[in-house]
Structure formats: structure tokens, C-alpha cells
Amino acid sequence: MFPTLVDLGPLTVHTYGLFIALAFLAGMAWASHEARQRGASVAMVQDIVFWSILAAIIGSRMLYVLINPGYFLRHPLDIFMFWKGGLVFLGGALLVALVIWFYLRSKRQPILFWADLLVPALPLGQAIGRLGCFAAGCCYGKECDLPWAVTFTNAGSLAPKNMTLHPTQLYHSLGDLTTFLILLFAKPFIKQPGQVLGLYLLVFPVFRIAVEFFRADFRGVMGPFSTTQVIAAALMPIGLWLTFFRKPQGA
């Protein structure tokens, strides 16, 4: 594909970085829309997005480094070159959740109310960000001979060259978009705070775990599963409790 969108000497625009920026902008726009609908502070959304950007980059890069220690011990400076790809979404999501929790606690805001407000922006942003993965060639799939298989030929691509592969980046993007639409259509049926978050923690892991079986890049190993599959599966009981079993009470 096209890892570099613009290369004019000192001016280089990486396609991956561009789509990540678009993902955050789309997420912030949707979260601001939700805030206005719910009578919440749009200024707080902007603060949360700012801190979330930092946490997402740091957390997703940290997990990627942790599951690839051999390479980064040999190339320590590459730890900081996140624009070339190598961000594990779940690492970023976990750190973002922690940062947002501390932020909302410091402002004495209802945690689950804000979680439900912010969560739909997450799969929307992911759906866009995964297109950056596709452009860079990271998060690539296993070899296959399906009609929709893709072949990466660009020398700068992170995927194996000249092989027909599962377009797992697009699988992820489609799964994220579907998750966003499910959350959107479920809104009229939400009865209490925390159920939007719970539904996300049920739906997103299903897509994530499924797509992981078609990926070929290394994501850590925990028995027969990848590290990200195990983390995703661990989120599902929380989602089940929030969606169906949590007793109505204050958030």
C-alpha cells in the first residue's frame, strides 16, 4: 500500500499517522455530539481527548514493546518510532481507561455516565485508524488465496511483500464499524448507566478474538492464544455484568 503519503525532503507525512489523527478527530467530534445531547460539558470532552491521545500512544506502544522485547533490546531507539506502526490497541485502551478514571474522579464526575458517553467514539475512531494500519502494512494477515486477498509491494510496507494475505486490517475496521453501529442502535434500549460500556466490552472482544486467528504478525503468546485475545476475553465478563447483571443504582 502507501506507508508514506507525502515525502518532500524535510516534510514527510506518514499515512499511518494521518489516519490516527483523523481517528482522534472523529472520536472527539462524536463524543462532543454525545455531550451536547446529554447536557454534558464539551470542554471536558476536549480535555479527556487530549489526555487520551497521550495515554493511547504510550499505552499501545508499551504493550507492543513488551510483547516484542528481543527486537527493542537490540534497537532501543525504535521504541519511540511509533509512526511506523507497532501500536497494540488494547494496551492503549487500558491506559486510556485508567487515565480517564483518574480524571473523572478528580472532577467528581459520574464514571459510568461518562463511560457511556465516550465509548461509542472508540470503535468509530478505531474503524478509521485501522485504515492507517492497512496503509502501513502493520497488523497483517496470514497467507491465503481468497478473492479479496491483498498483496503488499511497497518497499516501506511492514507486511511481507508479494504475498497474498488476509486483509486483517480491513476485517478489524469492519468489525469496529459494526460495533459502533450496534452501540448506536442499542441506545433506545439502554436502561441504566454502564450498559453502553458493557455492550462494547461484549461486542468488541468477539470481533477482536475472531480476527486475531487470521493475523500473522506477532502479538505475544499465551498458550494457544495471542496476548491480545486473552486480554479481550478477560473483558467480556465485565461487559456481561454491566449489561445484564448490575443492579440499578447511582453511577
Side-chain angles (χ1 to χ4, degrees):
M1 299 305 150
F2 301 97
T4 303
L5 193 63
V6 177
D7 189 1
L8 299 174
L11 175 62
T12 302
V13 178
H14 295 279
T15 313
Y16 181 86
L18 174 65
F19 275 100
I20 293 298
L22 292 174
F24 277 109
L25 289 173
M28 183 170 68
W30 185 265
S32 298
H33 166 73
E34 289 272 357
R36 284 189 287 268
Q37 281 196 330
R38 295 167 179 252
S41 170
V42 175
M44 283 190 63
V45 169
Q46 295 169 347
D47 287 346
I48 288 170
V49 169
F50 171 77
W51 292 112
S52 294
I53 291 172
L54 297 179
I57 294 172
I58 294 170
S60 55
R61 189 61 170 177
M62 283 174 58
L63 184 54
Y64 184 78
V65 171
L66 287 174
I67 63 179
N68 295 277
Y71 175 84
F72 288 104
L73 284 173
R74 296 191 302 272
H75 307 90
L77 293 180
D78 283 7
I79 291 174
F80 306 101
M81 299 180 183
F82 61 87
W83 57 86
K84 293 184 177 181
L87 302 177
V88 181
F89 166 75
L90 283 172
L94 293 173
L95 186 57
V96 166
L98 186 62
V99 166
I100 292 176
W101 185 84
F102 275 112
Y103 175 86
L104 293 175
R105 292 284 290 182
S106 71
K107 300 292 184 181
R108 298 187 177 182
Q109 292 290 313
I111 304 295
L112 293 182
F113 168 83
W114 275 95
D116 285 352
L117 186 157
L118 295 167
V119 155
L122 193 55
L124 175 62
Q126 286 176 273
I128 297 170
R130 285 295 180 184
L131 299 179
C133 295
F134 187 57
C138 61
C139 310
Y140 55 85
K142 296 177 180 177
E143 193 169 7
C144 72
D145 57 359
L146 295 169
W148 56 84
V150 295
T151 303
F152 293 86
T153 58
N154 190 290
S157 175
L158 298 175
K161 316 300 187 296
N162 303 310
M163 296 171 60
T164 54
L165 309 174
H166 279 284
T168 44
Q169 308 92 335
L170 301 185
Y171 297 168
H172 277 303
S173 184
L174 182 60
D176 293 327
L177 182 59
T178 303
T179 301
F180 171 72
L181 293 175
I182 289 173
L183 297 183
L184 197 60
F185 289 129
K187 283 177 66 176
F189 305 99
I190 298 301
K191 303 300 182 184
Q192 64 171 334
Q195 286 187 311
V196 177
L197 172 61
L199 188 58
Y200 173 76
L201 294 178
L202 283 175
V203 176
F204 165 74
V206 171
F207 287 112
R208 181 67 198 236
I209 292 168
V211 175
E212 285 280 307
F213 286 114
F214 299 99
R215 283 179 58 171
D217 59 314
F218 184 72
R219 284 101 52 228
V221 176
M222 299 183 74
F225 304 104
S226 69
T227 302
T228 46
Q229 282 178 312
V230 173
I231 295 172
L235 297 174
M236 296 184 76
I238 303 172
L240 191 65
W241 176 71
L242 285 170
T243 306
F244 299 109
F245 298 110
R246 179 177 172 271
K247 295 179 181 180
Q249 57 186 5

